[in-house]
Amino acid sequence: MSTLDLVIAGGTVVTAADSYAADVGIRNGRIAQIGEGLTGSDRIDATGLLVLPGGIDAHVHLDQATSDGTVMADDFASGTRSAAAGGNTTVLPFALQIKGQSLRACVEDYHRKAEGNCHTDVSFHLIVTDPTPQVLGQELPALVRDGYTSFKVFMTYDDLVLQDAQLLDLFEVARRERALVMVHAEGHDAIKHLTRRLETEGRTAPYYHSQAHAQIAEREATHRAISHAQLMDLPIVIVHVSGREPMEQIQWARARGMKVHAETCPQYISLTADDLRGLNMDFDGARYVCSPPPRDADSQAAIWQGLRDGTFDLFSSDHCPFRFEGPGSKDNPRARTSFRWVPNGIPGVETRLPILFSEGVSKNRISLQRFVALTSTNPARLYGLYPQKGSIAIGADADLSLWDPNLIQPIRQQSLNHGCDYTPYEGMEITGWPVRTLLRGRTIARMGKPVKEASGRHLSRQASEAFA
Ligand code: URP
Ligand code: ZN
Ligand code: ZN
C-alpha cells in the first residue's frame, strides 16, 4: 500500500456515534486509514485535541441580491474564509431566484459568483420565488436531477412570499423529484397586520420587529406547512425554529409519523427579544434584527431540550450578514423610520460551532456525539452529502476540524474574518475553539485565520436520506 500523505496523530477522534483515541491517515484528500502508530509523509500532532468531521453549515446566505438597496456583507470569498476559520469545511448557501428570472439562469449566476472564490466546499440550495409552469414543469425537475436536491420556500416577506396554492404545487414537484423542501414558516398576513398596528401606535423602534414577528405567527405557519406536506406525503425541513410553540407543532407531527425535520440556530440559544431593545430602545437593537426573532428564556430552554432529545436534526447559522454602518447597511434612512425596513439577518457562520460547543458541550448540556450529529453528520445525511462528507470513515473526504476543548477566549469582532462590521455575540466567553481546519487533507484555517488559497469546490448532491 502506498505511503500516507498526512497523519493526524495522537488526537481523540469524535463522530456522531463514538469517541476513541486514534491516528487518522490521509491519502489523495481522503481518509485512508484510522488506527494506532500510523506514519506518513507529513504529520500533524493532535495530542490533547479532538478530531471532528469538518462542520457543515447548511443555512448560509452569501452575496444575495436584495430588493431594497441593502448589501450583503459577505461574498463567497469572505463568507467561506469566515466559515473555514470557524471550523467548517462545507457550507450550503442559497441561489435566490428573482421573480421573473429563469431558475437555471439564477443558478448559473451564483456559480459565477462562487467560482474560484470558495475556501470551503459549497453546494447551493435553490430559493424558489416564482413557481411558473416553466419552473414547475421543466427547470426545477432538471435542476434536482443535476444535483441541486433541496430548495427553500418563504411564507413571508413581500418579495419572496408564496401563496398556499403555490406551496402545494411546489411540494407536489418536490415529492415527485425527491427534493427536500426547507420552509421559512412565518405567517405573512399576521406579520403585516401587527406591523401596521405597531406603526400606528408609534412603536417603530427595532425592538418591535420582535413583536410583529410573533411566535404565534410562526406556530401557525409551521402547522400550515406541515399540513401541506402531509397532504403531499412529503418530508420537509422547518428552518430556523425560534421557540417552544413551533417546536410543539413539529413534535405533534412527528408523533403522528410525519417526516418533519427541524433546524435551529445560535441566535435562539444565545439571544432574546430583549437584545433588540438596544440601549433604551434605540437603533442599536437593529444589530439583532433577524427572522424569526430571538424569543425569551422559556423558548431558549425549550430549544436546548429539543437539541438534546432529537427534535432538532440541524444546528445551522442562518448567516445573513448586513453591516451595521455605512452604505447599504442596516442603518439606512428608511430603517430609521420603522423596524419594518431594517434588513433581516445577522452574521454567524464563524461563531456557530464555538457557541454550540461552549454553551452545549462545555456546559454539559449536550454530548460531543450530539454536537457532531447536529453540526456535521445530520446536515450531510439530510442534504445528500453523506458519506463523502459528515463522517470520519475510510473513503470519506478528509474534511476535519481539530478542536482544543480547553481553549478559553471571548468572541471579538476584531478577530473574526467575516465582512460584517459587528458580531451579535461580542464578548461572549467561549470554552473550546477549533484550532485547525482541513479540507480534503489541506489546511484551510489555523488558529482562527484562513489560508490564502481558495480550494473549495461546488458539490453536486444526491437525494436526501429523508426520502429513504
Ligand atoms: O433574518 C433572516 N433570517 N434573514 C435571512 C433570510 C432567512 O429568512 O433565512
Ligand atoms: Zn428564512
Ligand atoms: Zn436564512
Side-chain angles (χ1 to χ4, degrees):
M1 202 186 287
S2 56
T3 329
L4 293 167
D5 302 327
L6 174 66
V7 173
I8 315 287
T12 301
V13 172
V14 185
T15 71
D18 47 21
S19 317
Y20 51 91
D23 300 344
V24 179
I26 297 164
R27 190 183 303 114
N28 296 331
R30 294 196 178 176
I31 297 173
Q33 281 186 52
I34 301 170
E36 286 177 3
L38 303 185
T39 55
S41 311
D42 208 350
R43 174 189 162 89
I44 291 173
D45 182 5
T47 307
L49 301 181
L50 305 174
V51 181
L52 270 57
I56 300 177
D57 193 337
H59 188 148
V60 171
H61 302 268
L62 301 175
D63 211 350
Q64 265 181 223
T66 59
S67 54
D68 62 356
T70 52
V71 181
M72 210 155 257
D74 276 311
D75 57 17
F76 282 84
S78 64
T80 55
R81 280 165 55 86
S82 180
N88 299 284
T89 48
T90 300
V91 301
L92 279 69
F94 294 90
L96 164 67
Q97 180 197 25
I98 312 289
K99 279 209 165 86
Q101 189 186 28
S102 131
L103 205 51
R104 176 66 72 175
C106 153
V107 170
E108 285 167 2
D109 193 25
Y110 277 87
H111 271 288
R112 273 190 295 276
K113 296 182 193 200
E115 186 67 37
N117 293 320
C118 294
H119 292 251
T120 62
D121 281 355
V122 297
S123 186
F124 298 129
H125 304 292
L126 312 173
I127 293 178
V128 182
T129 61
D130 200 3
T132 60
Q134 167 79 8
V135 165
L136 292 168
Q138 278 103 49
E139 291 195 312
L140 184 54
L143 284 163
V144 175
R145 286 170 206 166
D146 286 351
Y148 304 89
T149 55
S150 52
F151 64 89
K152 185 175 178 192
V153 293
F154 283 82
M155 297 173 78
T156 189
Y157 292 133
D158 285 336
D159 50 345
L160 306 174
V161 62
L162 297 177
Q163 303 308 312
D164 286 349
Q166 296 174 305
L167 291 173
L168 287 159
D169 285 346
L170 277 165
F171 283 15
E172 192 169 48
V173 175
R175 171 72 210 171
R176 200 166 52 237
E177 300 298 331
R178 301 198 309 151
L180 191 59
V181 183
M182 310 160 72
V183 184
H184 180 126
E186 288 187 288
H188 191 53
D189 287 346
I191 292 169
K192 277 203 309 197
H193 183 94
L194 292 170
T195 299
R196 271 197 304 271
R197 193 160 83 194
L198 287 158
E199 285 181 342
T200 305
E201 293 165 356
R203 298 174 203 267
T204 56
Y207 170 72
Y208 294 106
H209 170 83
S210 69
Q211 307 304 295
H213 286 247
Q215 193 168 177
I216 295 170
E218 187 182 349
R219 180 193 74 200
E220 176 276 322
T222 301
H223 186 86
R224 190 154 34 103
I226 287 170
S227 301
H228 292 349
Q230 186 182 15
L231 283 173
M232 296 296 146
D233 188 23
L234 176 74
I236 53 168
V237 184
I238 306 292
V239 293
H240 46 48
V241 175
S242 72
R244 187 180 292 281
E245 298 206 22
M247 275 180 68
E248 285 170 354
Q249 299 304 308
I250 292 158
Q251 288 159 343
W252 176 89
R254 289 230 185 124
R256 285 159 181 75
M258 287 174 243
K259 282 193 182 173
V260 178
H261 297 279
E263 172 200 79
T264 192
C265 313
Q267 48 271 37
Y268 307 121
I269 54 170
S270 308
L271 305 174
T272 67
D274 282 341
D275 288 298
L276 277 77
R277 292 180 189 275
L279 309 165
N280 203 14
M281 294 297 254
D282 67 0
F283 194 75
D284 218 56
R287 292 172 192 273
Y288 307 94
V289 166
C290 60
S291 290
R295 304 295 181 189
D296 57 12
D298 173 66
S299 273
Q300 286 188 343
I303 299 268
W304 276 116
Q305 181 55 30
L307 287 166
R308 268 191 299 275
D309 68 19
T311 301
F312 291 109
D313 308 277
L314 304 167
F315 187 83
S316 313
S317 66
D318 193 8
H319 179 75
C320 186
F322 295 95
R323 291 176 63 84
F324 185 65
E325 286 176 348
S329 71
K330 288 208 174 216
D331 193 357
N332 61 72
R334 209 157 62 145
R336 287 271 175 176
T337 68
S338 167
F339 63 85
R340 167 204 296 255
W341 305 114
V342 176
N344 284 201
I346 59 177
V349 73
E350 194 166 343
T351 46
R352 168 186 80 122
L353 294 170
I355 287 174
L356 188 65
F357 192 99
S358 185
E359 292 295 306
V361 178
S362 302
K363 294 190 177 169
N364 288 319
R365 288 179 168 124
I366 58 170
S367 68
L368 261 174
Q369 280 65 44
R370 191 87 195 109
F371 175 82
V372 171
L374 286 160
T375 58
S376 181
T377 309
N378 291 352
R381 285 183 179 278
L382 269 180
Y383 292 116
L385 290 169
Y386 193 84
Q388 180 191 356
K389 305 289 189 187
S391 72
I392 297 183
I394 308 292
D397 281 359
D399 292 359
L400 301 168
S401 145
L402 311 189
W403 283 74
D404 181 345
N406 301 313
L407 180 60
I408 301 175
Q409 58 193 33
I411 292 174
R412 293 280 180 222
Q413 162 63 15
Q414 66 202 39
S415 309
L416 298 178
N417 299 274
H418 60 191
C420 210
D421 56 354
Y422 78 100
T423 166
Y425 310 109
E426 183 68 39
M428 189 172 176
E429 198 73 8
I430 297 291
T431 302
W433 284 90
V435 292
R436 189 163 184 150
T437 313
L438 296 99
L439 176 66
R440 284 185 286 276
R442 292 172 57 158
T443 295
I444 56 168
R446 258 188 107 165
M447 296 309 293
K449 290 290 151 230
V451 302
K452 269 211 199 84
E453 302 80 52
S455 57
R457 300 176 187 160
H458 183 270
L459 307 167
S460 163
R461 286 179 286 120
Q462 297 148 15
S464 170
E465 286 192 5
F467 288 94

